[in-house]
Amino acid sequence: MNLSLLSSCKSLRSLQQLQAHATKSSLDADPLIAGKLLLHCAVHISDARAHDYAERLLRHAPNPDAFMYNAVIRGFSDSDAPHSSISTFALMLKNLSSQIDSFTLAFSLKSAANLRCLRTGSQLHCQALLRGLDIHIFVGTTLISMYAECGRVEFARDVFDEIPEPNTVTWNALLTAFFRRGDVGGAERVFAAMPAKSPTSYNLMLGGYTKLGEFALAGKVFDEMPLKDEVSWSTMILGLAQHGWFEEAFGYFRRLRGVGTRPNEVSLTGVLSACAQAGALEFAKMVHCFVEKVGLIWITPVNNALMDTYSKCGSVDMSRLVFERMTGKRSIVSWTTLITGLAMQGHGEEALALFLEMEGSGVELDGTAFVALLYACAHAGLVEEGSEMFDKMSKLYRLNPEIEHYGCMVDLYSRAGQLTRAYDFVTQMPIPPNDIIWRTLLGACSFHGNVQLAEKVKDKLSEMDPNNRGDRVLLSNIYAVAGKWRDAAAVRRSMAELKLRKSPGWSRIEVDKMVYTFVAGVREDGVTREAYEKLGEVMSRIRVEGGYVPEVAIVLHDVEEEEKEGAVAAHSEKLAVAFGMARSGGGRRVRVVKNLRVCRDCHNVMKLISKVYDMEIVMRDRSRFHYFKNGNCSCKDYW
DNA sequence: TTACTAATGC
């Protein structure tokens, strides 16, 4: 039998055929062939069943050698069942203890690290000590990583000190250990003491700094490092994107293109993540073209990132198109991304249909997929459908509902106005409800004007999160709407006395592939002045032609209120839209992204602008999309 | 057949 056939075996099925062929020719008795087959099965086939199959082969082999044990231990070490790797180690300890070598220990330790199991890791450390393998360069380095994963930097250090000739990889493992525990000073000392540095050492520093948001330090290392590889660029771009520095992430991407390095798929997903968060559609389209051009469109995570970006930029049609045309295998993430995208736009029915299609597609469902589905049902008023799916989740799919799922259900009933059902559901939950759940209910009380229930709910919230500003705003609004002025005023006084924190609100708009950020109350730069000027003109026109009346009176507007200064007149979304109108040169569409939920007054203003100026406004707020057109909003005034 | 670095959905 030709062993080179092995590399063409990409599926468990084709491998089993080869296996059958070997058995028929009595070749399976050859330990070399049996071992190679087993290794290929355990390591090179990305199918959970392949690992189990390899383990069965091992257990049935007449005289399995160390190579075969090692193959199975390795196969499980990077799977989602690392504990099977440990049980295989135990089997080897029983049957072939004398043959345990550096490979066995390195792979087993990797599993212990993935399991974050200090007990298992320490026991393996003992086995290594018994055999004098703890100072073996590969085993020792993996030991350091294992202790790092388990958060025991002092043990990692002890192992390091025993290794006679640590190489750069060993030093890197130690560096990782210090960062993992958040000891930046320690990491910096290790970095300074290293006798030699490979690009990985620098990249570890970049990763350590960017995770902490230390971009000045990261930038310095980045500029000083002699050789920047793909990981260096990806780390910077991803780190910036994850900390909300979108324009800076774009800057690194432009720089990367400028120096002629070809961005890899990780840099691309990173820059797409920045586009998604910032709502930068034009930049995203450019990245999409680039992905096609460099031939990385077959990579599933890149497609998923593209879909997510288009959805979050308000172009769910493009998202759907990417999904339909993707050449790579659709993962559970691909399906969930599109379902969420459809749900955010209020296309609940289509989201539900897609979920049903996913059920038949053979992908393994997970909890997040159900979060997306329940979110879709909640936003489209599909109460009974959502309810049924929630039951199905545990009964049919054996997925344990988590707090997010209960939250979705409370939202589902609340939005539909079934407050009693929502409240009963909360009181009968098998796990204790968190503040988010009570807050959902409080919001629903506010929307439906249920003062009695609101007071009950507020008591719960006061116990859990006594200093939350948003909760008091909601309660005050409930009283105000019910005409209980005295109660409303008392809540507001208590807020003033406590000087409760405010979440800073911002809105962003993309013009000519540049993203502009607006914050209420800040007005020094030219861009903001331009926005204010246009806003003044817009407001007076909608007052005259649209009959606008500001909703200031007694009701406090924002759930998570922006700057109260200047009342609601200068909320950041108004500034961003005005700026977009000033710069769009008569364009009929403006797209804005806001980090909080849009307030009622701004929502009203957007409707009027869409009518008076005959234009469309697409606004993504914290929970969904609003399409303003002809004086109406796609959310039907419920958000 | 082994060790250290970056990734997508709520």
Side-chain angles (χ1 to χ4, degrees):
Chain A
M1 191 183 69
N2 189 351
L3 278 178
S4 66
L5 277 175
L6 262 180
S7 56
S8 64
C9 282
K10 298 275 190 263
S11 70
L12 182 58
R13 175 120 191 91
S14 57
L15 190 103
Q16 281 168 331
Q17 284 167 349
L18 202 62
Q19 188 98 36
H21 180 73
T23 310
K24 209 170 130 195
S25 325
S26 307
L27 281 165
D28 58 335
D30 182 335
L32 180 69
I33 289 179
K36 289 272 181 195
L37 275 167
L38 199 143
L39 175 74
H40 190 83
C41 192
V43 178
H44 299 294
I45 296 179
S46 50
D47 182 337
R49 287 170 310 164
H51 301 139
D52 296 328
Y53 185 66
E55 202 214 358
R56 281 208 305 281
L57 290 179
L58 176 73
R59 285 180 189 275
H60 289 107
N63 279 309
D65 60 4
F67 185 97
M68 290 170 75
Y69 277 104
N70 291 347
V72 174
I73 291 170
R74 179 185 171 191
F76 281 121
S77 70
D78 264 330
S79 73
D80 47 12
H83 52 88
S84 301
S85 185
I86 303 299
S87 55
T88 310
F89 177 88
L91 191 69
M92 185 172 177
L93 193 61
K94 193 175 119 211
N95 296 339
L96 205 64
S97 173
S98 65
Q99 301 288 305
I100 287 174
D101 59 12
S102 65
F103 295 95
T104 319
L105 282 159
F107 295 133
S108 306
L109 280 164
K110 176 101 195 222
S111 306
N114 288 340
L115 288 165
R116 308 256 162 97
C117 182
L118 184 63
R119 210 177 122 80
T120 304
S122 307
Q123 286 173 342
L124 290 166
H125 191 176
C126 290
Q127 289 295 332
L129 278 162
L130 283 171
R131 294 166 169 79
L133 284 168
D134 59 313
I135 58 165
H136 182 282
I137 194 75
F138 284 93
V139 177
T141 305
T142 318
L143 269 168
I144 294 170
S145 300
M146 182 275 295
Y147 282 125
E149 279 301 318
C150 297
R152 307 308 285 261
V153 70
E154 66 279 12
F155 293 164
R157 171 114 241 174
D158 290 345
V159 173
F160 181 88
D161 289 340
E162 293 299 319
I163 297 175
E165 285 180 30
N167 62 18
T168 307
V169 180
T170 316
W171 280 93
N172 288 344
L174 188 64
L175 186 58
T176 307
F178 278 95
F179 268 127
R180 191 124 323 160
R181 114 117 46 134
D183 184 349
V184 180
E188 284 168 339
R189 280 193 295 280
V190 172
F191 188 64
M194 290 175 78
K197 298 178 176 78
S198 65
T200 303
S201 313
Y202 289 94
N203 291 340
L204 286 168
M205 292 304 287
L206 294 182
Y209 283 143
T210 55
K211 273 193 196 75
L212 297 166
E214 296 280 4
F215 291 105
L217 292 168
K220 194 163 175 291
V221 173
F222 184 83
D223 290 334
E224 285 169 0
M225 63 192 287
L227 267 176
K228 302 179 221 316
D229 62 13
E230 289 177 343
V231 177
S232 322
W233 290 99
S234 313
T235 304
M236 290 306 288
I237 292 170
L238 276 167
L240 288 163
Q242 280 162 3
H243 282 81
W245 298 99
F246 312 131
E247 197 46 62
E248 289 74 8
F250 295 161
Y252 269 88
F253 187 75
R254 290 189 191 102
R255 229 175 116 185
L256 166 59
R257 300 273 287 117
V259 297
T261 307
R262 183 171 169 270
N264 73 355
E265 67 277 17
V266 185
S267 307
L268 289 165
T269 49
V271 79
L272 285 169
S273 156
C275 291
Q277 294 178 72
L281 181 61
E282 295 309 315
F283 206 95
K285 283 181 183 164
M286 189 189 77
V287 176
H288 189 173
C289 289
F290 188 77
V291 169
E292 302 264 7
K293 203 177 89 186
V294 296
L296 292 171
I297 197 69
W298 59 274
I299 296 171
T300 300
V302 171
N303 278 286
N304 298 344
L306 274 170
M307 287 165 51
D308 187 46
T309 306
Y310 278 123
S311 287
K312 293 203 171 126
C313 290
S315 297
V316 76
D317 291 343
M318 276 305 294
S319 185
R320 199 190 281 112
L321 200 68
V322 171
F323 181 81
E324 280 162 6
R325 292 194 180 166
M326 66 188 278
T327 45
K329 203 170 157 59
R330 286 177 192 145
S331 69
I332 180 73
V333 178
S334 319
W335 291 90
T336 309
T337 305
L338 186 54
I339 290 169
T340 305
L342 291 164
M344 279 198 301
Q345 322 280 337
H347 303 316
E349 305 273 1
E350 196 183 340
L352 179 58
L354 193 68
F355 189 92
L356 299 176
E357 194 187 330
M358 170 171 70
E359 283 186 296
S361 77
V363 293
E364 195 178 339
L365 303 196
D366 64 9
T368 310
F370 275 93
V371 170
L373 173 75
L374 296 175
Y375 171 91
C377 291
H379 283 258
L382 303 168
V383 182
E384 298 316 317
E385 290 87 343
S387 215
E388 272 170 37
M389 295 309 278
F390 180 75
D391 283 341
K392 204 165 157 185
M393 175 180 169
S394 45
K395 291 194 183 123
L396 189 62
Y397 289 101
R398 306 268 158 216
L399 290 167
N400 241 347
E402 289 171 55
I403 195 79
E404 291 83 6
H405 301 99
Y406 289 102
C408 286
M409 292 307 288
V410 174
D411 198 32
L412 177 76
Y413 296 140
S414 296
R415 279 174 188 274
Q418 304 182 11
L419 295 190
T420 313
R421 194 173 178 188
Y423 183 76
D424 290 346
F425 185 85
V426 174
T427 53
Q428 285 162 28
M429 278 170 57
I431 50 176
N434 61 10
D435 56 327
I436 299 170
I437 287 188
W438 288 117
R439 198 163 292 124
T440 302
L441 207 47
L442 188 65
C445 292
S446 166
F447 192 86
H448 297 284
N450 190 330
V451 181
Q452 264 183 321
L453 186 57
E455 285 179 333
K456 244 164 77 181
V457 172
K458 179 63 180 68
D459 288 341
K460 298 281 182 191
L461 271 170
S462 303
E463 288 166 24
M464 304 177 89
D465 189 3
N467 293 330
N468 190 294
R469 184 183 172 84
D471 295 347
R472 298 196 192 208
V473 171
L474 268 177
L475 190 66
S476 154
N477 286 356
I478 294 167
Y479 284 135
V481 170
K484 298 191 162 188
W485 310 115
R486 217 173 272 231
D487 291 328
V491 175
R492 288 171 62 203
R493 264 200 311 280
S494 75
M495 287 166 63
E497 279 161 17
L498 281 166
K499 292 199 176 84
L500 295 179
R501 71 195 146 79
K502 302 170 183 176
S503 326
W506 53 253
S507 297
R508 292 193 158 106
I509 185 163
E510 182 192 39
V511 177
D512 294 332
K513 295 198 185 67
M514 292 284 289
V515 174
Y516 297 86
T517 304
F518 293 89
V519 182
V522 180
R523 56 163 81 205
E524 50 270 15
D525 61 294
V527 164
T528 320
R529 264 201 299 279
E530 196 180 337
Y532 267 103
E533 213 164 282
K534 181 70 181 178
L535 182 61
E537 176 208 311
V538 171
M539 294 305 282
S540 50
R541 193 167 153 193
I542 61 169
R543 213 175 286 247
V544 176
E545 296 179 32
Y548 166 68
V549 182
E551 268 197 53
V552 264
I554 192 108
V555 176
L556 293 171
H557 291 270
D558 246 339
V559 176
E560 290 130 302
E561 195 191 33
E562 277 185 49
E563 200 54 55
K564 196 82 178 86
E565 184 71 27
V568 290
H571 273 173
S572 58
E573 56 267 53
K574 290 196 183 88
L575 288 171
V577 169
F579 182 75
M581 292 167 78
R583 287 288 183 94
S584 69
R588 296 270 63 92
R589 195 174 223 215
V590 167
R591 296 179 316 105
V592 172
V593 172
K594 183 178 165 56
N595 65 334
L596 305 178
R597 274 162 68 172
V598 59
C599 89
R600 200 170 291 268
D601 186 71
C602 286
H603 197 263
N604 193 20
V605 166
M606 299 306 154
K607 288 201 282 189
L608 292 172
I609 292 176
S610 74
K611 189 174 172 192
V612 172
Y613 284 82
D614 185 27
M615 60 182 287
E616 290 175 35
I617 298 168
V618 182
M619 180 181 291
R620 184 182 99 201
D621 78 2
R622 196 155 113 176
S623 65
R624 61 168 298 146
F625 271 93
H626 302 263
Y627 281 88
F628 299 96
K629 197 179 173 183
N630 296 329
N632 294 310
C633 179
S634 62
C635 78
K636 301 188 179 74
D637 298 338
Y638 195 100
W639 68 93

